[in-house]
Amino acid sequence: MSTPPFKPPLMTYPPITSSPGVREWQQQMKRRSWNITPDGKYGPLSKRTCTNFQTEKGLKADGIVGPITWQASWEARGMLPPPAPEEILQFGSAGEDVLTWERQVDARGWRIKNIDGHYDDEDASACILMQRALGLPATGQVDQDTWDAAWLEKAPLAA
């Protein structure tokens, strides 16, 4: 898919920016597997998604969709996931692997308020929401496919 031309105004919040371009950008982020609802309103959740995307792609993380972020939304390469843990992450799991997964899932839009390296009910709920959104079996456990899905985008993979 080629990048459509960016059309001003810049997408910023606050205040909420509404335009057909906002919906187009939101739809592209959703196609890339980010958790965002294409509603045509650039508010706090769109800004958070934008900032996290900019950070992940090495762009200036200002939360504003301008020409550079717009282009990257179509052209930036996806990430390769880090190696999955040997054990399935599930209720009661703890440690660095859980912390890594919590941070990534939260950055991609499936909110986890208590990022602490302990897999609890909040982690399982976020996991199920992500699994359902991405067409995976909704087990609430982080197996190899769920781990990888937290990083992979429907975009060209980085070499």
Side-chain angles (χ1 to χ4, degrees):
M1 170 185 268
S2 64
T3 304
F6 175 77
K7 297 174 194 126
L10 297 176
M11 296 172 210
T12 61
Y13 173 82
I16 291 174
T17 305
S18 296
S19 74
V22 171
R23 182 180 302 275
E24 188 174 12
W25 176 80
Q26 291 168 330
Q27 288 169 332
Q28 176 61 12
M29 294 307 293
K30 187 165 187 71
R31 278 191 292 273
R32 287 187 72 112
S33 301
W34 290 72
N35 186 30
I36 188 167
T37 301
D39 61 4
K41 296 177 182 147
Y42 192 89
L45 295 178
S46 292
K47 181 177 181 175
R48 182 178 187 276
T49 298
C50 176
T51 302
N52 290 340
F53 176 77
Q54 290 168 328
T55 299
E56 184 175 295
K57 303 307 176 198
L59 304 172
K60 179 181 176 187
D62 58 8
I64 297 171
V65 179
I68 294 170
T69 298
W70 178 271
Q71 183 174 358
S73 299
W74 272 264
E75 297 177 13
R77 295 198 173 273
M79 296 175 58
L80 292 172
E86 293 181 20
E87 306 267 332
I88 290 176
L89 302 181
Q90 58 191 334
F91 190 84
S93 296
E96 195 62 36
D97 290 330
V98 175
L99 189 60
T100 299
W101 184 82
E102 287 173 326
R103 287 178 177 148
Q104 180 64 16
V105 168
D106 183 71
R108 286 287 175 96
W110 287 276
R111 296 291 282 164
I112 298 176
K113 292 180 184 172
N114 191 21
I115 297 174
D116 61 0
H118 296 278
Y119 199 93
D120 56 21
D121 289 334
E122 183 184 21
D123 296 277
S125 294
C127 182
I128 288 169
L129 290 172
M130 185 189 84
Q131 288 169 327
R132 286 181 181 153
L134 301 179
L136 299 170
T139 64
Q141 298 178 347
V142 182
D143 59 9
Q144 177 78 49
D145 290 340
T146 300
W147 177 272
D148 290 348
W151 278 267
L152 294 177
E153 297 179 281
K154 294 181 175 90
L157 287 176

